[in-house]
């Protein structure tokens, strides 16, 4: 216990009912030791640590000790602090294994680049006294886009005609945000469904988590493009369409029998990309975009620009349906 | 038969050594103006390192390793019978290199396009690239230098060696 932490909490949070007071950390190198009731001091600002963030996958929760949920004492704002953690781990994409690196400075650079751009999470970075880059992030109140879409309580046909056009329009805006990064020689690095959030109140779509870096050379934006395509396929299908989910949805055998190898993802072999075969009212203009990510394609999108041109064409058609 | 200037793209891989050998066996009996073994520098991504110092050390190690391999490639051509005078090893540094300060440099956006630019500026009439033989999915995600070269090459002959 430190009287310094207690004094800070009493000063800035006089109504706090906290009975435990930790230490003040100016060096975050040993982030495992920083926990509830500790205070992280960056420059002249103080952040009360409330808990470690959790990663929820496959029904399990793993604490992310380098990501702290906290409160900025001077303003009272809840914030997330991402501490420097130089992790290197294999990432699996379909049959491929790619070495992935967590890069605090990449995320810090992008935060600076997108400052004020609400298509992205917002925040800033500071160095602690040991030179560790700490990213101080605003919390986005909302839900993952895929969860929002999944929970729309209508059948696919109603969803596609009544909800999808507006969703596609907003998603195009999200793709333009990624193009903005690429235009500045930056990659998002981890475009997947749980990294695009819908903010409560505004309904804005916002990208989160930019700290993944890879060694990608001849096609540096290929992974981002693949991620954008995968989300679009999910949005068009209102689900992750696989043979298993098709069976769960009670899809007719004539449709199931019509699917062939070329209708599945070029990278994730069990994911159905040819959504038109499942839902015949999907227009060609949209299905053609999706099929660029199918194993039968001979033409790839080289840039987000190319993808956007086709998506805008299909938005026009869908809005006129 | 007269071949004028040949540019062999070289990344130190087994396939690029194969390309060098292939060129040596073809041109050893031909009058030729020049064979350039070209390496376009591919710097490691800075974001993979904690700081610029660690990154610069890796850049230097990579360059040293590549210089040794390029010397080996040059020796292969000479041993196969290509006149030493016409063989050049060219290390084309990245514009972001911490050690080379030059206006003529690799952009880092696409090795394939950098190779084609150098081919054009150096008036090479033949361009040789090795081929890894990647799957369609790998090409989609990670790209392919040889595919980029073949798709984008104009006004030159391209040999793809696999």
């Amino acid at each position: 216990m430190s009287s310094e932490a207690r004094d800070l909490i009493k000063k800035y949070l006089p109504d706090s009912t906290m009975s435990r007071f930790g230490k003040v950390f100016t060096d975050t190198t040993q982030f495992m030791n920083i926990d509830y009731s500790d205070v992280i001091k960056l420059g002249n600002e103080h952040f009360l640590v409330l808990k470690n963030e959790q990663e929820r996958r496959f029904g399990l929760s793993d604490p992310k000790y380098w990501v702290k949920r906290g409160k900025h004492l001077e303003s009272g704002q809840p914030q997330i602090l991402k501490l420097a953690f130089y992790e290197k781990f294999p990432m699996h994409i379909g049959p491929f294994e790619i070495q992935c690196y967590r890069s605090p400075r990449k995320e810090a650079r992008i935060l600076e680049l997108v400052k004020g751009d609400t298509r992205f999470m917002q925040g800033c970075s500071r160095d602690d006294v040991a030179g560790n880059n700490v990213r101080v992030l605003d919390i986005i109140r909302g839900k993952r886009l895929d969860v929002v879409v999944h929970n729309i309580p209508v059948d696919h046909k109603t969803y596609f005609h009544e909800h999808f056009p507006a969703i596609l329009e907003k998603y195009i805006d999200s793709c333009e945000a990624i193009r903005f990064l690429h235009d500045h020689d930056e990659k998002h690095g981890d475009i997947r469904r749980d990294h695009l959030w819908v903010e409560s109140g505004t309904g804005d779509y916002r990208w989160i988590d930019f700290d993944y870096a890879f060694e990608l050379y001849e096609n540096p934006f290929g992974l981002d493009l693949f991620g954008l395509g995968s989300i679009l396929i999910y949005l068009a299908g209102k689900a992750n369409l696989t043979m298993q989910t098709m069976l769960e949805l009670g899809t007719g055998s004539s449709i199931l029998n019509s699917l062939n190898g070329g209708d599945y993802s070029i990278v994730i072999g069990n994911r159905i990309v040819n959504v038109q075969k499942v839902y015949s009212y999907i227009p060609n203009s949209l299905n053609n975009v999706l099929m660029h990510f199918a194993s039968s394609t001979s033409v790839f999108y080289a840039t987000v620009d190319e993808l956007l041109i086709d998506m805008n064409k299909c938005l026009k058609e869908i809005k006129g349906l | 038969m007269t071949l004028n200037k040949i540019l062999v793209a070289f990344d130190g891989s087994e396939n690029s050594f194969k390309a060098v050998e292939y060129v040596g066996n073809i041109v050893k009996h031909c009058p030729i103006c020049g064979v350039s073994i070209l390496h376009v520098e591919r710097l490691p991504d800075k974001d993979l390192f904690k700081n610029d110092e660690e990154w610069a050390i890796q850049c230097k190690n990579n360059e040293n390793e590549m210089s040794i391999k390029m010397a080996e490639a040059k020796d292969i051509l000479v041993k196969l019978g290509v006149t030493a005078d016409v063989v050049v090893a060219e290390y084309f540094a990245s514009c972001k290199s911490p050690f080379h300060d030059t206006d003529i440099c690799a952009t880092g956006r696409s090795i394939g396009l950098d190779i084609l630019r150098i081919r054009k500026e150096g008036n090479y009439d033949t361009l040789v690239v090795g081929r890894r033989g990647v799957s369609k999915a790998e090409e989609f995600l990670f790209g392919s230098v040889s595919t980029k070269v073949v798709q984008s090459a104009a006004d030159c002959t391209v040999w793809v060696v696999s």
Side-chain angles (χ1 to χ4, degrees):
Chain A
M1 171 178 152
S2 123
S3 59
E4 194 186 355
R6 187 191 58 209
D7 294 346
L8 284 164
I9 292 165
K10 295 275 183 209
K11 177 181 173 189
Y12 290 110
L13 302 173
D15 299 332
S16 167
T17 54
M18 281 179 79
S19 57
R20 186 179 141 194
F21 304 101
K23 294 181 192 162
V24 175
F25 285 83
T26 53
D27 176 350
T28 60
T29 308
Q30 300 299 326
F31 56 75
M32 296 281 286
N33 297 339
I34 306 175
D35 211 334
Y36 171 75
S37 81
D38 290 327
V39 172
I40 294 174
K41 184 179 181 192
L42 298 170
N44 293 320
E45 295 182 87
H46 303 85
F47 299 87
L48 172 65
V49 175
L50 298 172
K51 63 175 183 178
N52 293 304
E53 285 289 302
Q54 307 275 325
E55 178 131 58
R56 289 179 187 83
R57 283 207 154 186
F58 310 116
L60 298 170
S61 284
D62 265 337
K64 294 201 280 185
Y65 294 106
W66 69 99
V67 186
K68 311 288 183 189
R69 175 81 58 140
K71 191 185 272 278
H72 180 223
L73 287 177
E74 281 77 5
S75 67
Q77 285 300 309
Q79 285 187 299
I80 289 172
L81 274 74
K82 277 175 110 172
L83 310 180
F85 176 37
Y86 294 95
E87 185 187 21
K88 176 182 170 190
F89 56 96
M91 188 188 214
H92 296 273
I93 301 177
F96 305 112
E97 186 178 295
I98 306 166
Q99 281 304 316
C100 177
Y101 301 76
R102 229 175 250 292
S103 172
R105 64 175 174 170
K106 171 179 180 263
E107 190 158 67
R109 209 173 52 234
I110 294 181
L111 283 171
E112 187 59 32
L113 176 67
V114 303
K115 196 173 276 296
D117 186 339
T118 55
R119 298 174 301 181
F120 300 92
M121 71 176 184
Q122 294 292 297
C124 58
S125 76
R126 317 263 167 79
D127 281 355
D128 68 13
V129 292
N132 295 304
N133 180 297
V134 178
R135 283 133 292 144
V136 181
L137 306 173
D138 298 345
I139 292 172
I140 298 173
R141 305 276 174 210
K143 282 190 177 153
R144 291 163 42 167
L145 174 61
D146 61 328
V147 173
V148 170
V149 165
H150 178 80
N151 290 342
I152 296 173
V154 291
D155 61 33
H156 185 275
K157 194 167 190 174
T158 310
Y159 160 78
F160 188 75
H161 288 103
E162 294 183 7
H163 298 266
F164 182 74
I167 290 169
L168 178 62
E169 191 161 13
K170 284 192 168 183
Y171 185 59
I172 285 174
D173 198 36
S174 301
C175 293
E176 282 171 356
I178 298 302
R179 177 175 64 183
F180 171 80
L181 292 185
H182 293 184
D183 286 346
H184 289 82
D185 257 344
E186 297 287 5
K187 303 175 269 282
H188 180 287
D190 197 16
I191 293 184
R192 53 184 212 202
R193 286 186 272 137
D194 54 343
H195 284 165
L196 185 57
W197 281 59
V198 183
E199 189 175 46
S200 304
T202 64
D204 288 344
Y205 291 6
R206 303 182 67 179
W207 293 109
I208 63 165
D209 286 1
F210 327 124
D211 57 345
Y212 279 19
F214 303 92
E215 282 196 282
L216 293 171
Y217 294 107
E218 194 52 27
N219 192 19
F221 305 121
L223 272 184
D224 275 3
L225 266 164
F226 169 69
L228 292 177
S230 297
I231 295 176
L232 180 64
I233 293 159
Y234 183 93
L235 297 178
K238 196 179 181 287
N240 188 19
L241 298 179
T242 62
M243 188 54 86
Q244 191 185 338
T245 55
M246 296 277 79
L247 290 168
E248 285 165 8
L249 289 166
T251 310
S253 59
S254 61
I255 291 174
L256 298 180
N257 292 336
S258 74
L259 293 168
N260 61 54
D263 297 324
Y264 288 83
S265 163
I266 186 170
V267 178
I268 313 240
N270 69 344
R271 187 173 291 166
I272 297 164
V273 164
N274 194 346
V275 181
Q276 193 181 50
K277 273 199 177 173
V278 182
Y279 303 117
S280 57
Y281 42 84
I282 298 277
N284 288 336
S285 58
L286 173 59
N287 212 53
N288 287 341
V289 178
L290 306 184
M291 290 303 284
H292 279 76
F293 301 92
S295 62
S296 54
T297 188
S298 52
V299 181
F300 308 136
Y301 288 120
T303 62
V304 179
D305 243 344
E306 292 178 4
L307 172 65
L308 277 166
I309 289 168
D310 285 356
M311 283 171 77
N312 277 309
K313 274 186 206 158
C314 88
L315 177 66
K316 254 188 191 173
E317 187 182 335
I318 286 168
K319 279 187 150 180
L321 278 177
Chain B
M1 182 168 99
T2 302
L3 292 165
N4 289 325
K5 287 177 77 181
I6 298 182
L7 185 66
V8 188
F10 183 82
D11 65 1
S13 66
E14 196 181 324
N15 285 309
S16 63
F17 273 109
K18 274 188 197 168
V20 168
E21 275 184 42
Y22 186 86
V23 169
N25 282 315
I26 294 279
V27 306
K28 61 188 174 186
H29 302 303
C30 301
I32 191 162
C33 295
V35 180
S36 286
I37 299 162
L38 168 75
H39 176 69
V40 176
E41 185 176 46
R42 191 145 57 177
L43 292 177
D45 192 326
K46 261 191 185 180
D47 290 331
L48 310 186
F49 298 85
K50 282 186 187 176
N51 53 53
D52 285 1
E53 291 71 33
E54 284 185 22
W55 170 73
I57 289 167
Q58 188 63 52
C59 291
K60 182 46 87 184
N61 289 344
N62 290 358
E63 184 171 345
N64 291 342
E65 198 179 311
M66 190 52 63
S67 300
I68 292 167
K69 286 184 173 175
M70 291 179 80
E72 279 175 36
K74 200 173 165 186
D75 280 350
I76 288 170
L77 286 179
V78 174
K79 278 182 187 155
L80 283 169
V82 183
T83 314
D85 295 350
V86 301
V87 180
V88 177
E90 189 182 352
Y91 190 93
F92 198 70
S94 165
C95 300
K96 293 175 182 167
S97 164
F99 310 113
H100 299 272
D101 190 15
T102 169
D103 291 340
I104 305 164
C105 49
T107 61
R109 278 245 160 186
S110 161
I111 299 283
L113 295 181
D114 278 330
I115 290 169
L116 287 171
R117 181 162 58 91
I118 297 160
R119 198 287 309 161
K120 193 175 178 184
E121 287 167 3
N123 289 317
Y124 293 93
D125 42 33
T126 302
L127 172 57
V128 185
V129 288
R131 183 175 173 273
R132 281 181 297 155
V134 297
S135 67
K136 197 153 86 168
E138 284 173 282
E139 190 187 322
F140 169 79
L141 282 178
F142 312 122
S144 156
V145 173
S146 59
T147 302
K148 185 70 71 67
V149 164
V150 169
Q151 284 175 346
S152 311
D155 304 321
C156 70
T157 304
V158 179
W159 297 353
V160 180
V161 180
S162 54

